[in-house]
Amino acid sequence: MNDLSASELDLLAASHGDVLAALGSDTTPQGRTLLAAWRAARRATADGTGHLWQVALMVELLRRGETVTAQQLGTRQPAAWLPNWAAGPPLNSGLQHIYQLGHLIAATAVAAVDGRQVGLCFDQDGVVHTIDMVEGSVQARQMSDGEQDFYRDATFAALDGQQIIAAVTEQQALVWATATGDVLTATDPDDIPRPAGHLTSVAVGQFAGAGVALAGTREGYLLLWSIPNGQRLAKFNGGHSCYVSSIAISPDGPPIAVTGSGGEAATVCFWDLATRRQIGQPRPTANISQVGWTRLADQPHAVTVDERGLLQLWLPHEPEPVASYPTGVGSVGGLACTVVEQRPVAVLSSGGRVRLLDLLTGLPAGDTMTDFTQEAEQVAVSPPNISTRSIIAVQGWSTEGRVNILDLKPAPTGAAPAADGDMSSGSKAPVYLDADIVTVASRQVIAVIDDNATLRLHDLSDGQQAGPPLTVSAMRTPYGVRLRCLTLGNRPVGISATPGPFTAVYLDDGSHLPLPDESPQRAALAGLACDASGPTKIVVLSDQWGSMITWDLQTMHMLGHRPSKKPGSNACLAVTTLEGRTTILSASRKGKLRRWETDLTAHAAPIAAHNGPITAINTLNIHGRPAAVTVGDDGLTSSWDLQTGERRGPKLHHPAPVNALLATTFGGTPAAITACEDRTLRIWNLLDGKILDTMPTPRPVRRIFATAADDLVLLDPEGLTCLGNSQDA
C-alpha cells in the first residue's frame, strides 16, 4: 500500500493490528518502514493521542525518508508548529520494540505461550517479565522466594511441557515454573563441597525422562541435580582448574554437556551425563565466554566462543575443534544457535550489535544494530518453526533493564549505513550530544558532535548532511562533550571540548587551528562558551569542580585560571560584551549567576538567580540593555539586567525542571523558548510573562535553536528535528 491518504489506513488512529493488516509489514519494504515508524512513535508517546502523537509519528516518518506520508499527516490535522525535517544517526528498521524493565536482567529466551511468541526476561529481583513480541505488552510475575541473593547465572528451558527458569546464587540452585512462579527445585547448600567454591553457572537438560540442572563452581567443579526433587546426582572435578564460565547441555541425542572455563588454565570439557563421566581430556583454550549446541551433518556439535572472539565447533569425542571462525570482534556477550533458511547460524551479541554467523562457512549471515549505550549481553532467538522470527537482546550490566526486540533479518529500508563507518564492525549508532548553528559557504548549517567525537554538518533547509564528517578529537566518550561554533576572521569555526583538551576546527575545509596552551589539570568537563564578536576572542571552559580556564582564540594563549573545589560552582557558561568589555557569565548549582573579566577576576557581585541549579544561560538585549536569561531545576525562567544585577520582567513558572533555553526575539518581542521535563516547548514573552505558544515534544530536548527562516531546531537524544511555524508561512 503506497497511498496513505486512503481511508482504509489512518496512521494517526490505527492500532498495531490495523497497521500490520494494512501495510503487509512482513512482505513490503514500505510496510516495514511505516510499521517501524509507528512503533517508534508509540514508544515516544505512551497515550498515542492528540498533537503529541501526530508530531511523534511525523518525526519518525521523516527520519525514515517517508516525507510524503509525513506531509499527508500534517495536512490532515494542521497545527501551528509541525516537523519540516528530521535527521540523526542511522536507524535500524528491524528494531521492533524497546523496553526498560527497571532491573538488571540475568537471562532471556524466546518461547511460545498460548500460541503467541513471547520474550522472557529474568531479573535480579527474581521476576520473570513476559513480553508479547507482536503487541509489545509486558507482564511481570514474581518467582516465589525469588528475592534471595544475587544470581550468578540463569537460564530458561522447556521441561515436561512447561517453561522453567533455573538460576544459581553462590550457595544454591533454584528452578521455577515461569507460568505460576512456583518453586520446582531448591537445592541444599550443603551439597556444595567446601573446596568447590561458590556456584558460577548453570544449564538445564533432560535424559532418561527426567530433568537435570548442571551447575559450575568457582574452583572448576560441576554439580548435577535432579529436577524436581533436588537430589544431587553427581560431582565432577577433573576437567577444570578454575571457574566454570558457561555450560550447555545437548538438546537432542545423547545427554552431553559442554563446559568452558576462564582463568590462566582455561579449558573446554565434555561430559556424558548418563554415565557421569568425562569424555576425553580437557581441551586447553583461551578464556571461554559462551558455549552452546548446534546440529551439523546430522550430528550435534558444540559451539564455543572465547575472549578473542574466536568461534569454534567441536565433536565431543574429537580432541581438536573441527572448525574455527574468527567473528571479527574482541568479545561476545551472548550466543544463541538456530537455523535460518535451512542453514545453521550462530546469533552473537557484541558491542551494540547483534550479528549472525553461518556455521557452515564462518561467513557473516546478517547484522543488526541495537539502541544500547552499553554492551549487548544476553541474546535469544525465535525457534525455526515460527513464521515471523525475532531476536531478543539485553543490554549488559544495566539496572534499567534495557531490552530490544529485533527482526531476525531486518530489511535494508530507511537510512542506509553511513560511508564514514558509523555502523562498522562491533560499533553502535552514534549518539548526538551537542550542536550549534553557524554559516558555512553562505548557508546556515547546524553542526552536531556525537559520542565518537565526530562532527557533522546538516543543512538547515532540509536536514541533509553537508559534506563529510570531521573527526575533532581522539577522545571517545558519551559524557561531558560540548560544541560551540563562531566566525573567526570570516571563517566558520567549531570548538569542541571533551574531558580532554578543547580543539578548534575550520568547518569550511576541516583543517585544525593550533592547539591551545597546555592548561592545568582539570576534572571532567562541565561547561564551554566562546565568542569572537567582542574585543577579546575567547574560549572558556569549566569543570565539575567549578574551576575555570580562559584562552585567547587568536593566540591560543591562556588568559586566566580560577581553581575551585566546589562541585558545580560554574556549571553553565556564556560570553557577552558588557560596557565595551568581553565578559564571562557563569552559573552554579546553588543558583548563583556570576560575571567575570577575561582573566577570571570577579567583575561584580553574584546574582541570586535561582533556588537550585541553573541549567542554562543565554544573553539578549532587552530595550537596548544587555540581559542574561537563566533557567533552572526550580522550574523558573528569569531575566537579569547585567549592568545593575536586577531582575527584568516577571518570573516564568514551569511545572517541572527546565532543561533547555533559547533567548531570542520572537515576532519583534524579547522571548524565551524553554524545554521542560514535561516534554513541552513553551514560548514566553519576557516583558509580561505571558505564554505566546506551546508545543509538545516526543523526547526530552537538550538544545533549542532558531533559524534565519524563524523555524526551530531541537536537539534530543535521537537526533535533530526542525519545527516550522505555519502561522508565519
Side-chain angles (χ1 to χ4, degrees):
M1 180 172 186
N2 295 313
D3 183 7
L4 290 185
S5 63
S7 59
E8 57 264 32
L9 180 61
D10 180 352
L11 275 180
L12 289 174
S15 69
H16 188 273
D18 295 336
V19 180
L20 277 173
L23 296 179
S25 64
D26 294 331
T27 58
T28 67
Q30 192 204 29
R32 285 190 290 267
T33 301
L34 298 181
L35 182 59
W38 190 94
R39 284 168 167 163
R42 183 65 78 187
R43 291 194 298 267
T45 170
D47 55 14
T49 59
H51 187 43
L52 176 60
W53 170 236
Q54 181 186 15
V55 170
L57 189 52
M58 289 182 67
V59 168
E60 296 301 336
L61 289 167
L62 289 167
R63 282 292 311 277
R64 288 161 174 79
E66 290 287 339
T67 305
V68 173
T69 306
Q71 291 172 345
Q72 289 176 352
L73 295 186
T75 57
R76 184 172 297 168
Q77 293 187 13
W81 294 90
L82 286 174
N84 283 340
W85 55 260
L91 291 169
N92 180 6
S93 61
L95 181 57
Q96 300 175 11
H97 296 290
I98 299 172
Y99 302 93
Q100 290 194 185
L101 302 180
H103 302 275
L104 182 65
I105 304 300
T108 191
V110 180
V113 175
D114 297 328
R116 298 182 68 83
Q117 185 179 197
V118 300
L120 300 171
C121 294
F122 176 74
D123 71 30
Q124 284 291 347
D125 287 334
V127 175
V128 170
H129 304 264
T130 302
I131 302 170
D132 189 311
M133 296 176 75
V134 176
E135 293 293 341
S137 59
V138 182
Q139 295 181 340
R141 182 181 295 276
Q142 176 73 55
M143 301 295 101
S144 60
D145 300 323
E147 293 187 63
Q148 296 192 29
D149 199 352
F150 183 82
Y151 296 104
R152 298 283 172 173
D153 192 22
T155 184
F156 286 96
L159 192 63
D160 296 330
Q162 65 177 334
Q163 196 71 33
I164 65 169
I165 175 70
V168 289
T169 66
E170 288 192 354
Q171 301 296 325
Q172 193 176 32
L174 298 120
V175 181
W176 296 273
T178 60
T180 63
D182 294 337
V183 175
L184 301 179
T185 301
T187 63
D188 187 340
D190 291 338
D191 283 347
I192 304 174
R194 186 177 297 275
H198 63 70
L199 301 179
T200 58
S201 50
V202 67
V204 172
Q206 191 168 10
F207 70 91
V212 292
L214 182 65
T217 77
R218 184 182 61 189
E219 301 301 328
Y221 282 59
L222 290 160
L223 304 172
L224 184 68
W225 285 284
S226 67
I227 301 174
N229 63 24
Q231 178 185 359
R232 198 184 82 179
L233 302 176
K235 175 188 71 174
F236 310 96
N237 64 339
H240 302 293
S241 60
C242 44
Y243 68 95
V244 180
S245 56
S246 190
I247 306 173
I249 299 174
S250 176
D252 55 10
I256 297 174
V258 57
T259 58
S261 64
E264 295 181 358
T267 52
V268 171
C269 296
F270 292 92
W271 312 87
D272 187 325
L273 299 184
T275 63
R276 321 284 168 82
R277 292 182 179 179
Q278 185 175 349
I279 300 173
Q281 297 298 312
R283 287 76 160 174
T285 183
N287 289 347
I288 295 297
S289 58
Q290 302 292 329
V291 300
W293 287 91
T294 189
R295 198 163 187 85
L296 302 174
D298 205 31
Q299 291 188 80
H301 285 62
V303 182
T304 65
V305 185
D306 65 29
E307 63 182 354
R308 303 166 297 180
L310 181 66
L311 184 147
Q312 294 184 304
L313 298 173
W314 306 78
L315 287 170
H317 293 85
E318 297 292 334
E320 300 292 334
V322 297
S324 297
Y325 302 135
T327 61
V329 296
S331 63
V332 172
L335 166 68
C337 296
T338 187
V339 175
V340 177
E341 298 176 353
Q342 300 182 344
R343 296 184 70 84
V345 167
V347 181
L348 310 168
S349 61
S350 178
R353 307 184 70 80
V354 175
R355 61 193 67 229
L356 278 62
L357 189 76
D358 189 314
L359 292 176
L360 292 178
T361 64
L363 297 176
D367 193 18
T368 187
M369 181 174 59
T370 71
D371 80 326
F372 298 160
T373 57
Q374 301 179 44
E375 298 286 313
E377 286 290 332
Q378 293 91 2
V379 65
V381 63
S382 307
N385 58 356
I386 294 178
S387 58
T388 303
R389 302 184 65 191
S390 301
I391 297 169
I392 183 168
V394 175
Q395 180 168 289
W397 301 106
S398 168
T399 54
E400 66 184 8
R402 197 162 186 85
V403 175
N404 282 186
I405 307 296
L406 305 137
D407 288 340
L408 179 60
K409 294 191 71 175
T413 58
D420 53 73
D422 283 345
M423 299 171 68
S424 60
S425 176
S427 67
K428 62 177 183 59
V431 177
Y432 285 7
L433 297 178
D434 204 359
D436 206 358
I437 285 181
V438 68
T439 299
V440 178
S442 301
R443 61 175 176 173
Q444 265 200 321
V445 301
I446 184 164
V448 188
I449 192 169
D450 64 31
D451 56 348
N452 289 325
T454 299
L455 191 148
R456 292 171 176 79
L457 304 179
H458 291 271
D459 194 305
L460 282 178
S461 64
D462 56 12
Q464 294 299 309
Q465 189 167 316
L470 307 173
T471 300
V472 296
S473 172
M475 180 73 70
R476 302 290 190 265
T477 174
Y479 308 107
V481 176
R482 301 287 186 271
L483 174 68
R484 296 294 182 267
C485 297
L486 46 72
T487 300
L488 183 66
N490 296 320
R491 296 187 67 184
V493 174
I495 298 175
S496 63
T498 67
F502 82 85
T503 57
V505 58
Y506 287 114
L507 300 178
D508 50 7
D509 64 6
S511 61
H512 284 248
L513 279 72
L515 291 174
D517 286 346
E518 186 174 350
S519 64
Q521 186 175 4
R522 58 184 176 86
L525 179 71
L528 165 67
C530 57
D531 183 74
S533 62
T536 305
K537 321 306 181 188
I538 192 170
V539 174
V540 56
L541 299 180
S542 65
D543 66 23
Q544 292 184 355
W545 284 105
S547 298
M548 292 193 297
I549 309 171
T550 56
W551 288 268
D552 186 311
L553 253 180
Q554 293 177 307
T555 66
M556 290 298 181
H557 293 326
M558 191 167 65
L559 297 176
H561 173 226
R562 187 176 184 87
S564 173
K565 291 295 184 181
K566 297 178 181 179
S569 57
N570 296 296
C572 300
L573 300 172
V575 180
T576 189
T577 300
L578 188 61
E579 298 174 346
R581 305 195 307 273
T582 298
T583 302
I584 299 165
L585 307 178
S586 72
S588 74
R589 294 187 59 82
K590 293 186 177 180
K592 297 291 180 63
L593 178 64
R594 289 178 169 85
R595 293 156 284 180
W596 309 89
E597 304 290 352
T598 57
D599 62 359
L600 296 177
T601 56
H603 176 78
I607 300 170
H610 290 264
N611 294 319
I614 295 175
T615 53
I617 317 170
N618 277 195
T619 59
L620 184 71
N621 277 344
I622 300 178
H623 293 163
R625 294 182 65 84
V629 183
T630 58
V631 296
D633 276 359
D634 57 3
L636 293 179
T637 298
S638 299
S639 54
W640 308 90
D641 189 306
L642 287 175
Q643 292 177 323
T644 66
E646 296 177 351
R647 184 185 299 277
R648 296 292 303 271
K651 297 178 180 179
L652 311 179
H653 294 268
H654 301 73
V658 186
N659 300 324
L661 164 71
L662 173 65
T664 186
T665 300
F666 186 79
T669 301
I673 305 176
T674 59
C676 186
E677 284 192 2
D678 66 351
R679 298 191 182 185
T680 299
L681 214 64
R682 295 172 174 85
I683 304 177
W684 304 82
N685 184 326
L686 284 173
L687 302 180
D688 60 16
K690 293 182 179 179
I691 294 180
L692 302 175
D693 211 343
T694 63
M695 63 206 79
T697 61
R699 292 177 288 266
V701 174
R702 289 174 172 167
R703 296 287 304 279
I704 308 168
F705 306 93
T707 73
D710 291 330
D711 294 336
L712 297 179
V713 179
L714 311 179
L715 173 70
D716 65 39
E718 301 294 329
L720 298 167
T721 301
C722 178
L723 298 177
N725 187 359
S726 61
Q727 293 177 344
D728 292 340

